[in-house]
């Protein structure tokens, strides 16, 4: 199981001829030093074994995410939302985290799974930031709400995917754009269950890539400057039948070195333990001649 | 979107045969000759110094024969031939030997400049791994060896034919197809496409999918070439090119379509009932009658609490249930099974079984659970909950929570205490300890109506079956509220992993103000406590991977829990 880590020291700064990643502005939260951690070796993690919620970790070896932790810190407020999933950090160093149940719903009440939480970059205090409007109430068929997030520096917007209210026969998920300057929430896509999400700027166009959760397909749609969709979601490529399992869903998508890097694992809307979900990283590049995405490698 | 899913669900119902599984007694009497030959080839290979089934070659293929010999003599190729702990042989097979093409080598490579090199592909059945070596037939040397975990080389023709024969001879295929399919009609059983489109994600075995076309539909038959059996069949529309099926997909589709929230009626040995798989409470058996007398409204398994003693507060609170769209952490991977209960050769009743498994079981931190409901011809019944290991450590305690909602509106509960039946006046709990007194028949409690009709609860002190060592159970009794959901519907997780006392969840329906429970509708909750053990010779709630016939299989040491209910005569 790959750890769900977000390393503050790593900055994606990838300006290329074709495309540009949109998450290249992250700044270290001030609370790292305040809590006595070495910024060069520290990370915000939501996947520390025996810890629920958000952790600040300091690694013995900054290059080895799965290696020894020198120390782990949890602010008292970092446990209050139960188990957490994706982490996004802004140019101010504010940390936005979203909840997702792990193994059971004892600490993650289903009707509270569409809240986005903010950890203040100065104080380290975590508080509810905004509740995303779900299309339907959760049921015993689906304990999940938010699943993935991505911060777009250009528009100061946090993109969040949610499957709240979806059932076996009803796809009710949404993709949201939350403007962090105005707190305004825009629904970018409806009736769409997705997990990983990423913005890629291509030849001046802003494209939102997302990975579906009912299939292994990747879709994209074009957004305007206000994050309103200019097109319907269109199929981009698929992870179907790739990798060691063949049915992975994109959990995290990032654009680096002109490639889409996709962390993917199985997902069947149940609560199987993360230890059961080995993750594979797929790298795709865009073939401009064929005008389609091609698998470069997976590991 | 909603319409599409409804159509899809309807289509799946049409394409999947919904039948509960009947446990079969294995018989090798009618085993076809090709299976006997295959098993003999495996046995011969495992008895040889190198546990490898060689690629059959024509007498004139002397160079390939030499390549095969050179490769198998190489230490690096041999690296995965034996289990590192026990030295037991692991089954390997040579799938192909091909003359190396320039395109097989990286650009500007310096190896194999004489052009007389071969690529030999082996498959390791135990590790589900491909090994590819490049051999120089001029220098008689192995140039490179690479391992590819979870990958399989292309099948040789004889294995493709074996898969086709297993599929065509299986009763499931013949029943679905309407007759024994002509194996010459099998579509590309050995092609890359067919191989890629069928995986056994759960068993991690070598699987392929021979496909038989009938009219506008194609019957996919997934064949497990490691276990030499059919995994399942599924109809697909011929037009839907690219539609892929696999072991997990096939298993999940059948469970979701046939048993998840879908009731199956069962009448047998004087009993009537229905059962279905829930989203978080395991298999629920309901509307249980014995000779037409209502006995139980429903019985189900609410939570598994697993705690590890060396780390305070470390453990898991797991639900079991449907494999998709559920709150289950450990999911059903096959259909419920109905089987006879035998006492020697006499059938004394029947059992319904449902298993749940983590994907990686029996590796550490993965779980396997069993629900087994036993119904006897004499009116006894026993809800069994079992763990088959292995979990995250050898210091774990399992606490499964079972809920039984009794039929009848004027029941009362009695506990055997001080040599008499003491009637509980209000909701409460008790615990089975060394001090618990039982009747000579091992009865601990009884649930009875005003006419003393009902059931004794026989305590499990390990006497009820070979897999029990006693339950040390917590027992709770609560009032059933027809107009208030206290567990009639799917219950969310009701208790944390690691409480060691009575606070396992059911107490929430008692506290803070216990209600009277005389002559009313009752619910009993039963929480066994099972301590695992990995001590050699004393294993309990445990599982190990062992090598058997050249592949890894799970060796289980189950721990069964659950009382026996005996009719009051």
């Amino acid at each position: 199981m790959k750890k769900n880590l977000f390393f503050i020291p790593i900055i994606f700064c990838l300006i290329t001829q074709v495309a540009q990643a949109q998450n290249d502005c992250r700044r270290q939260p001030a609370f790292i030093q305040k809590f006595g951690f070495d910024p060069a070796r520290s990370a915000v993690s939501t996947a520390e074994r025996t810890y629920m919620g958000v952790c600040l970790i300091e690694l013995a070896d900054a290059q080895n995410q799965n290696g020894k932790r020198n120390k782990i810190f949890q602010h008292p407020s970092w446990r209050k939302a139960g188990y957490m999933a994706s982490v996004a950090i802004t140019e101010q160093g504010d940390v936005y985290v979203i909840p997702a149940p792990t193994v059971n719903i004892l600490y993650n009440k289903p009707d509270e799974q569409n809240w986005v939480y903010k950890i203040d970059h100065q104080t380290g205090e975590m508080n509810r930031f905004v509740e995303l409007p779900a299309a339907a109430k959760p049921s015993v068929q689906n304990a999940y709400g938010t699943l993935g997030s991505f911060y777009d520096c250009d528009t100061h917007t946090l993109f969040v995917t949610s499957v709240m209210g979806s059932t076996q026969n009803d796809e009710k998920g949404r993709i949201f754009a939350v403007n962090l300057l105005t707190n305004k929430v825009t629904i970018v896509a409806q009736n769409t269950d997705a997990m990983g999400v990423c913005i890629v700027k291509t030849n001046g166009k802003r494209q939102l890539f997302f990975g579906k959760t009912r299939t292994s397909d990747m879709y994209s749609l074009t957004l305007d400057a206000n994050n309103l969709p200019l097109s319907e979601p269109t199929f981009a490529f698929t992870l179907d039948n790739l990798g060691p399992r063949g049915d992975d869903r994109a959990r995290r998508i990032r654009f680096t070195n002109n490639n889409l890097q996709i962390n993917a694992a199985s997902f069947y809307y149940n609560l199987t333990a993360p230890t059961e979900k080995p993750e594979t990283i797929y790298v795709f590049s865009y073939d401009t001649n064929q005008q389609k995405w091609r698998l470069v490698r997976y590991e | 979107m909603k319409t599409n899913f409804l159509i899809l669900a309807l289509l799946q119902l049409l394409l999947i045969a919904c039948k509960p599984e009947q446990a079969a007694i294995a018989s090798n009497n009618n085993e076809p000759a090709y299976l006997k030959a295959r098993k003999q080839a495996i046995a011969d290979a495992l008895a040889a110094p190198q546990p490898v089934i060689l690629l059959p070659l024509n007498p004139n293929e002397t160079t390939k024969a030499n390549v095969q010999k050179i490769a198998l003599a190489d230490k690096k190729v041999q690296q995965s031939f034996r289990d590192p702990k026990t030295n037991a042989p692991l089954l390997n097979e040579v799938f192909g030997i091909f003359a190396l093409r320039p395109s097989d080598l990286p650009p500007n490579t310096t190896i194999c400049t004489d052009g007389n090199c071969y690529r030999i592909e082996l498959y390791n059945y135990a590790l589900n791994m491909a090994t590819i070596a490049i051999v120089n037939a001029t220098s008689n040397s192995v140039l490179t060896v690479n391992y590819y975990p979870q990958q399989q080389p292309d099948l040789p023709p004889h294995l493709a034919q074996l898969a086709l024969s297993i599929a065509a001879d299986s009763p499931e295929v013949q029943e679905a197809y309407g007759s024994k399919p002509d194996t010459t009609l099998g579509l590309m059983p050995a092609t890359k496409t067919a191989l890629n489109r069928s995986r056994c994600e759960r068993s991690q075995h070598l699987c392929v999918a021979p496909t038989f076309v009938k009219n506008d539909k194609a019957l996919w038959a997934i064949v497990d070439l490691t276990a030499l059996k059919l995994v399942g069949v599924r109809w697909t529309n011929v037009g839907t090119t690219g539609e892929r099926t696999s072991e997990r997909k096939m298993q999940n589709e059948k469970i979701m379509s046939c048993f998840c929230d879908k009731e199956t009626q069962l009448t047998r040995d004087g009993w009537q009932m229905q059962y279905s798989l829930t989203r978080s409470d395991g298999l629920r058996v309901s509307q249980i009658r014995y000779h037409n007398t209502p006995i139980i409204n429903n019985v189900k398994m609410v939570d598994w609490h697993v705690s590890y003693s060396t780390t305070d507060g470390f453990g898991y609170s797991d639900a079991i249930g449907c494999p998709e769209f559920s709150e289950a952490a450990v999911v059903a991977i096959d259909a419920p099974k109905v089987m006879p209960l035998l006492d020697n050769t006499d059938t004394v009743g029947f059992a319904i079984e449902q298993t749940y498994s983590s994907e990686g079981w029996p590796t550490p931190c993965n779980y396997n659970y069993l629900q087994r409901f036993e119904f006897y011809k004499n009116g006894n019944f026993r809800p069994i909950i079992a763990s088959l290991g292995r979990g995250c450590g050898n210091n774990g305690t399992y606490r499964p929570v079972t809920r039984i909602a009794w039929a009848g509106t004027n029941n009362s509960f009695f506990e055997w205490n001080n040599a008499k039946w003491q009637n509980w006046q209000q909701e409460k709990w008790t615990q089975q300890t060394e001090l618990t007194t039982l009747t000579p028949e091992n009865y601990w409690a009884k649930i009875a109506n005003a006419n003393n009709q009902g059931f004794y609860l026989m305590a499990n002190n390990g006497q009820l079956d070979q897999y029990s060592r006693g339950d040390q159970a917590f027992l709770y009794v609560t009032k059933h509220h027809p107009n208030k959901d206290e567990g009639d519907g799917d219950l969310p997780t009701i208790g944390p992993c690691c409480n060691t006392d009575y606070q396992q969840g059911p107490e929430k329906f008692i506290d803070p103000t216990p209600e009277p429970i005389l002559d009313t509708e009752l619910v009993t909750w039963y929480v066994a406590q099972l301590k695992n053990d990995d001590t050699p010779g004393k294993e309990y709630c445990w599982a190990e991977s062992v090598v058997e016939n050249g592949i890894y299989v799970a060796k289980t040491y189950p721990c069964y829990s659950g009382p026996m209910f005996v009719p009051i005569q």
Side-chain angles (χ1 to χ4, degrees):
Chain A
M1 169 73 182
K2 295 274 194 298
K3 296 287 182 184
N4 180 20
L5 297 174
F6 184 97
F7 278 81
I8 289 103
I10 298 172
I11 303 292
F12 293 125
C13 186
L14 305 158
I15 301 170
T16 66
Q17 286 183 326
V18 176
Q20 179 184 0
Q22 301 300 297
N23 61 332
D24 54 0
C25 61
R26 292 174 288 178
R27 181 181 292 178
Q28 292 165 357
F31 64 70
I32 293 178
Q33 284 182 293
K34 177 185 165 188
F35 295 142
F37 277 60
D38 176 0
R41 289 185 292 159
S42 296
V44 176
S45 168
T46 58
E48 295 304 295
R49 197 173 176 219
T50 77
Y51 286 83
M52 177 177 70
V54 181
C55 292
L56 181 61
I57 62 170
E58 185 181 289
L59 294 163
D61 175 4
Q63 303 305 313
N64 184 4
Q65 296 183 15
N66 295 321
K68 184 187 170 195
R69 274 80 170 123
N70 280 343
K71 49 186 177 179
I72 299 177
F73 171 76
Q74 274 200 309
H75 188 277
S77 64
W78 293 357
R79 287 174 54 88
K80 66 183 180 186
Y83 289 93
M84 308 297 277
S86 177
V87 176
I89 299 181
T90 68
E91 57 271 59
Q92 277 77 42
D94 289 324
V95 180
Y96 291 86
V97 280
I98 54 173
T102 298
V103 179
N104 60 55
I105 58 169
L106 209 53
Y107 308 101
N108 291 68
K109 293 181 181 169
D111 57 359
E112 295 180 358
Q113 297 310 296
N114 247 23
W115 277 95
V116 176
Y117 291 78
K118 176 183 176 182
I119 301 175
D120 182 88
H121 69 280
Q122 287 288 352
T123 65
E125 175 96 20
M126 185 177 86
N127 284 298
R128 282 181 168 179
F129 175 64
V130 66
E131 184 175 24
L132 305 173
K137 288 187 173 178
S139 74
V140 72
Q141 291 194 23
N142 172 20
Y144 291 96
T146 55
L147 284 178
S149 68
F150 179 87
Y151 181 62
D152 174 29
C153 305
D154 282 357
T155 61
H156 310 287
T157 298
L158 183 71
F159 289 87
V160 182
T161 58
S162 168
V163 296
M164 180 174 276
S166 275
T167 63
Q168 188 179 346
N169 296 326
D170 253 339
E171 187 170 359
K172 290 280 192 182
R174 289 175 166 177
I175 301 174
F176 300 94
V178 184
N179 186 313
L180 299 184
L181 301 179
T182 64
N183 291 5
K184 185 185 173 190
V185 176
T186 306
I187 298 171
V188 178
Q190 302 205 64
N191 301 325
T192 301
D193 284 3
M195 186 153 33
V197 63
C198 178
I199 290 280
V200 177
K201 200 158 70 178
T202 309
N203 298 328
K205 278 199 315 185
R206 298 177 65 249
Q207 276 189 294
L208 178 84
F209 280 85
F210 58 91
K212 301 274 282 179
T213 50
R214 290 178 187 247
T215 66
S216 300
D217 296 341
M218 301 286 300
Y219 275 71
S220 74
L221 58 82
T222 307
L223 299 178
D224 69 11
N226 297 314
N227 291 319
L228 294 171
L230 294 171
S231 66
E232 288 292 307
T234 54
F235 174 82
F237 57 93
T238 186
L239 306 179
D240 187 47
N241 213 21
L242 298 180
R245 293 163 296 280
D247 59 355
D248 281 350
R249 307 330 191 205
R251 183 186 67 74
R252 180 179 186 271
I253 309 166
R254 293 297 179 263
F255 192 80
T256 66
N257 291 336
N258 227 16
N259 291 330
L260 275 178
Q261 178 175 302
I262 299 161
N263 295 47
S266 296
F267 180 76
Y268 283 99
Y269 294 81
N270 58 34
L271 294 177
T272 52
T275 51
E276 283 183 56
K277 292 182 177 174
E279 192 168 278
T280 298
I281 299 172
Y282 300 86
V283 177
F284 281 81
S285 69
Y286 192 72
D287 184 331
T288 48
N289 292 328
Q290 297 286 325
Q291 296 203 324
K292 61 183 182 184
W293 291 91
R294 289 196 178 282
L295 177 68
V296 177
R297 66 178 182 276
Y298 67 83
E299 56 199 39
Chain B
M1 285 293 193
K2 182 174 181 176
T3 312
N4 288 342
F5 276 106
L6 284 174
I7 291 170
L8 189 64
L10 282 170
L11 263 177
Q12 284 179 351
L13 279 176
L14 291 171
L15 298 176
I16 295 169
C18 285
K19 283 199 306 189
E21 291 182 9
Q22 303 289 326
I25 297 168
S27 167
N28 291 327
N29 292 342
N30 299 319
E31 193 168 75
Y34 60 82
L35 272 185
K36 284 180 181 165
R38 177 66 184 172
K39 288 178 181 176
Q40 189 58 51
I42 291 170
D44 292 345
L46 294 175
Q50 293 169 353
V52 182
I53 300 174
L54 301 178
L55 185 68
L57 295 168
N58 294 325
N60 60 352
E61 293 180 294
T62 52
T63 306
K64 285 188 176 181
N66 189 43
V67 165
Q68 188 160 238
K69 188 177 166 188
I70 294 165
L72 298 184
D74 184 81
K75 294 285 181 206
K76 205 172 171 194
V77 173
Q78 292 175 359
Q79 209 165 292
S80 61
F81 283 3
R82 292 189 178 269
D83 176 67
K85 276 187 185 171
T86 64
N87 206 37
L90 305 179
L91 182 64
N92 286 259
E93 183 163 4
V94 179
F95 274 23
I97 302 169
F98 310 97
L100 204 67
R101 297 162 301 186
S103 61
D104 292 334
L105 293 167
N108 304 321
T109 186
T110 55
I111 67 166
C112 205
T113 48
D114 65 1
N116 192 24
C117 288
Y118 287 80
R119 169 189 169 100
I120 178 167
E121 299 177 347
L122 290 87
Y123 178 68
N124 184 311
Y125 288 86
L127 302 174
N128 187 25
M129 180 179 79
T131 302
I132 296 177
I134 294 177
V135 175
N136 187 318
T138 306
S139 63
N140 288 343
S141 58
V142 175
L143 303 178
T144 64
V145 180
N146 287 301
Y147 309 106
Y148 299 90
Q150 295 180 303
Q151 292 191 35
Q152 304 91 24
D154 288 344
L155 288 192
H158 68 277
L159 281 182
Q161 184 56 50
L162 177 65
L164 205 53
S165 299
I166 292 172
D169 282 348
S170 75
E172 292 95 330
V173 168
Q174 292 177 15
E175 184 181 342
Y177 195 71
S179 61
K180 181 176 176 176
D182 182 347
T183 52
T184 59
L185 295 176
L187 292 179
M188 303 180 294
T191 65
K192 190 84 177 169
T193 305
L195 191 66
N196 278 345
R197 286 168 184 263
S198 80
R199 295 167 188 253
C200 283
E201 306 95 332
R202 285 179 168 140
S203 63
Q204 291 290 303
H205 285 179
L206 174 66
C207 292
V208 289
T211 307
F212 306 99
V213 173
K214 193 171 197 179
N215 302 325
D216 59 343
K217 289 192 167 52
L219 183 68
W220 283 60
I222 295 187
V223 173
D224 180 338
L225 284 170
T226 305
L228 301 175
K229 66 175 187 180
L230 185 88
V231 173
V233 293
R234 182 178 187 271
W235 284 104
T236 60
N237 296 312
V238 172
T240 55
T241 52
E243 189 177 4
R244 183 183 65 86
T245 193
S246 67
E247 177 197 42
R248 177 160 57 198
K249 194 173 178 183
M250 197 176 269
Q251 289 170 338
N252 284 5
E253 277 179 0
K254 179 168 184 183
I255 296 167
M256 294 302 293
S257 302
C258 300
F259 300 104
C260 193
D261 291 341
K262 307 255 174 30
E263 297 291 350
T264 299
Q265 305 292 326
L266 180 63
T267 300
R268 189 158 166 166
D269 295 332
W271 293 88
Q272 287 172 275
M273 63 198 66
Q274 59 189 28
Y275 59 86
S276 66
L277 198 58
T278 67
R279 307 274 172 172
S280 68
D281 291 345
L283 191 76
R284 182 186 59 211
V285 185
S286 52
Q287 307 304 317
I288 303 174
R289 291 169 166 258
Y290 179 62
H291 291 308
N292 278 329
T293 302
I295 304 295
I296 285 173
N297 289 337
N298 65 70
V299 51
K300 61 184 184 177
M301 158 80 216
V302 176
D303 276 354
W304 272 99
H305 301 157
V306 192
S307 64
Y308 294 93
S309 59
T310 52
T311 312
D312 284 342
F314 173 59
Y316 296 98
S317 187
D318 293 341
I320 52 176
C322 302
E324 298 177 4
F325 292 96
S326 74
E327 292 176 359
V330 185
V331 301
I333 58 165
D334 54 13
K337 295 183 185 68
V338 179
M339 61 193 71
L341 282 171
L342 300 176
D343 183 5
N344 292 320
T345 54
D346 293 335
T347 301
V348 296
F350 67 95
I352 309 171
E353 272 193 7
Q354 178 67 57
T355 54
Y356 308 85
S357 184
S358 302
E359 299 283 334
W361 180 83
T363 56
C365 270
N366 289 294
Y367 294 85
N368 190 311
Y369 298 130
L370 170 73
Q371 274 182 292
R372 177 179 164 94
F373 299 91
E374 293 182 346
F375 297 93
Y376 293 83
K377 287 179 178 176
N378 64 4
N380 289 6
F381 73 92
R382 186 177 178 213
I384 294 170
I385 306 294
S387 166
L388 281 68
R390 157 174 174 145
C392 290
N394 58 5
N395 52 4
T397 300
Y398 292 85
R399 295 184 177 89
V401 182
T402 298
R403 177 186 187 272
I404 303 176
W406 294 87
T409 57
N410 62 341
N411 286 321
S412 296
F413 184 85
F414 304 83
E415 183 179 16
W416 184 254
N417 205 346
N418 292 329
K420 64 180 180 183
W421 290 110
Q422 293 195 338
N423 195 349
W424 284 14
Q425 305 293 310
Q426 58 186 17
E427 295 174 323
K428 67 176 194 175
W429 63 273
T430 184
Q431 185 180 2
Q432 177 188 8
T433 68
E434 290 175 354
L435 301 176
T436 300
T437 57
L438 306 175
T439 71
E441 301 87 356
N442 284 321
Y443 299 151
W444 177 19
K446 69 172 180 176
I447 299 100
N449 62 20
N451 299 321
N452 200 32
Q453 293 168 324
F455 283 83
Y456 295 113
L457 184 156
M458 183 188 287
N460 179 17
N461 285 321
Q463 84 283 17
L464 293 176
D465 63 80
Q466 61 177 316
Y467 304 120
S468 286
R469 295 182 187 174
D471 288 353
Q472 297 85 46
F474 295 105
L475 179 64
Y476 314 71
V477 182
T478 60
K479 178 178 168 62
H480 181 252
H481 293 278
N483 302 319
K484 189 164 84 175
D485 189 359
E486 288 189 335
D488 286 335
D490 267 2
L491 272 172
T493 312
I494 64 169
C497 61
C498 301
N499 288 346
T500 57
D501 61 2
Y502 78 100
Q503 296 180 83
Q504 300 299 323
E507 77 284 352
K508 291 173 182 170
F509 304 112
I510 297 175
D511 298 333
T513 311
E515 294 181 67
I517 53 168
L518 291 173
D519 294 325
T520 189
E521 294 182 55
L522 293 184
V523 175
T524 56
W525 308 74
Y526 188 88
V527 184
Q529 301 188 89
L530 310 164
K531 171 87 180 68
N532 75 356
D533 194 344
D534 70 338
T535 309
K538 294 169 63 180
E539 294 94 339
Y540 194 53
C541 309
W542 196 249
E544 301 274 10
S545 284
V546 297
V547 179
E548 206 170 87
N549 292 326
I551 60 171
Y552 287 105
V553 297
K555 184 172 185 183
T556 61
Y557 304 90
C559 52
Y560 276 32
S561 70
M564 178 76 83
F565 290 96
V566 179
I568 299 171
Q569 299 298 330

